[in-house]
Amino acid sequence: MLSAKLERILPKVQKPARYVGGEWGSVTKDKNEVDIRFAFCFPDVYEVGMSHLGSRILYGLLNDQKGVWCERVFAPWVDLEEHMRKENIPLYGLESGDALSEFDIIGFTLQYELSFSNILNMLDLGGVPVLAQDRKELKNLVVAGGPCAYNPEPLCDFIDLFMIGDGEEVMLDLVNLYNTAKDENISKHEFLVRAAQIQGIYVPSLYDVEYNEDGTVKKVTAKENAPKMVQKRIVEDLDTMYYPEYFVVPSTDIVFDRAMVELFRGCPRGCRFCQAGHTYRPLRKKSKETILNQAKKVLESSGYEEISLSSLSTSDYSELSGLTECMLDYCEPKHISLSLPSLRADSFSAELMERVQKVRKSGLTFACEAGTQRLRDVINKNITEDDVLGACEIAFQGGWNNVKLYFMLGLPTETSEDLDGISEICKKVAYCWRINTNNRARGVKITASASCFVPKPQTPFQWDAQNTLAVLQGKQDYMRKIMKTKNVTYNWHDAKTSVMEGVIARGDRRQGKAIYLAWQRGCKFDGWEQLFDFDKWIQAFKDCDLDPAFYASRQRPLDEVFPWDHIGCGTTKQHLKREWERSRNAAITEDCMKKCAGCGSNSLFEGGHCCV
Amino acid sequence: MFKARMRFSKTGRAKYISHLDLMHTMQRAMARCNMPIWFTEGFNQHAYVSVALPLSTGYSGEYEFLDFNFLTETVPENAVKMINSVFPEGLYAQEIYALSDGGMKIANIAWSRYKITWGFDGEIPQDFIKDANELFAKDDIQILKRSKRGEKMVNMKELMKTPEITQKDGVVVCNVVTGAGNKNMSPEYLTKAIKEYLPQYNITDEAYHRLCVYTDDMVEFR
Ligand code: SF4
């Protein structure tokens, strides 16, 4: 229930509906009847967090357990936070309205480095000590998982344990162990020692890190029987894996307000800049039947008017055409539209597009990433200009007039020729529209967006220096000058944000102090341009004797020990190194469907075979 | 196909659902229970629903109306039960009925009855109820009212009927009929009037709940 204090405040804040819960599909249990109260925290606003499929899956999974009540917690926007602090209202679970400090396990999902400060802020606002060492009891155990857990080190001061890899199974192991620990009344430390024995669980306090003179990691030592290397967990069979039959349906607008079903995990492509492409391996797919079944159930129980089939590379789903047909047979009579994100330009077929657009027509997006074939080969984005133009031709002939192209600036080995290439492609796409459209009067909207490349841990580019702020800004200025084609709108992202993301992405545990200091000085919602304070962050690093450039813009030697080397993402470091070497010769590596590149992740399977 | 109307309440947590979001929420609830309703045709097909006289976000109400079209011959049996089983917390359908001859026109709604609740830090001040009743018994209460055409001083008594102000469970309850439609006046103007004319009282909590809507001659809208 909402407290009277909160009700007094809600009329004064923006979009109060996101703070009240009670949506269709949200789960309420009797708190006296459950053993474990789990707070599933997303360190961003409701609209962003509710759009995240993984969180929806785990919310359903945990609440499916009889003894567990999982609630949702999001970061309140600054206007509400101000009122909450003034009125002494603690951050609360949306289902019960109870303070965060009343929960047994507090779990954060780590999607983005620039949401880390929000984790500290949410704990604090919820009345939970921010530093792990100040939480002495088993209660308020703070755990985390998600993509950024592949380098958990910057968060070691705050998080008691990390779950690496797929959450569906390890989450239940954790909850079971917690139950036992409560029954046996063991200490938090004893619990953590035992938890470290579960595959996929990383307990940072059980590892000592030594550094070299130059600030790089010398070695990491595991204590108290914790594994030397924490290998990630995977769910082997997606067909039998838990999938929610209902979704929480927000009563207010969110970013991706639709039903979603996952097609497969892992990506066969191996783009060298992409962390997900390397950390979600090995490839596992859901059968067409399972997908259809799950899609129907979720649509029926949610009432959603749109469903997306999600994956890292949808066109690589082997039965996509048949699946789309069956989906449309179901969706069309019910006025449900189907969206297929992550389609690749090269396999884009006119037929598929026409079928999908029958119910509702949305824009087309192509991730070209780089402006020349040479650079696309460096990053192993195996897509050619002809692919893009061929797809555009079909699209424009089919009456589409809205195309988005994505690029990155600052990729390794980039030269001004590559930047010119971006503007060339855009010109060609604009020309392609002119000669292919059958309705010039309607006009066309071509949007080119350029983000700044951030080298990520556990990718072949983890050794590479990120361009400095000055270099990135220089490239952006140059782009603005050359992107002058009619009908092409050019968007760019703030380079400072990417630099900060780059600093933390490959950080070590010493960064905890800087993150703490930055948060104390008011940093939060750093992913939101209007609130991001770059200078404050840089100052916090300096005040902790840490050099941001050491983390972001330093080229690492191939034999350097990384702070995240003891965290296994499935793909081996050896493979990543090989890929880095190939990238310097602009040598492409074929996708898994053509030839296994030997990334090593198949060893996580019982049989050792990827399903491609 | 025929026109139909649902009377529903929107209370508790649902009172924060905005007008636009309420339409989506209704469309999805209709889809969840397979209500055979009409969809618009053309480019962007969607379930047609229309909320009459939407409440301000944060207000609750128990006399709200949603118009839509059924594809069937008659209102499905159990329609009320069906929709209530798939509503989010705080929404509740009371009645679903066919609108023969188009039914009453939304444009004919002229009055709303509200229950306003005023709370204070601590006890209700001794003379508050007496003073408030006296204030609203006057024939002319000038107040600065905002409209699409800007702000202007008006006599709010022309846009409302004399309220009944009583005390219940430690809060003050004001039952008032205010203008809707063309001569719309938000019940918040009563709170504003108190703040302006009885500044000695410091209302800390205010809540607005719509009890009923009427046509010009005070016939309950249906
Ligand atoms: S083991 Fe081979 S097929 Fe499997 S993901 Fe790695 S490279 Fe691809």
Side-chain angles (χ1 to χ4, degrees), chain A residues 16 20 62 115 145 166 169 209 249 266 309 327 352 357 437 464 476 548 552 586 599 612:
Chain A
V20 299
L62 286 163
S115 66
D166 295 343
E169 290 176 6
V209 183
V249 182
L309 301 179
M327 283 292 296
L352 184 62
Q357 75 178 33
T437 180
D464 281 303
Q476 283 180 335
C599 77
V612 288

Side-chain angles (χ1 to χ4, degrees), chain A residues 281-283 592 596-602 610 612:
Chain A
R281 290 175 164 200
L283 294 169
C592 304
C596 170
C599 77
S601 65
N602 55 333
C610 274
V612 288

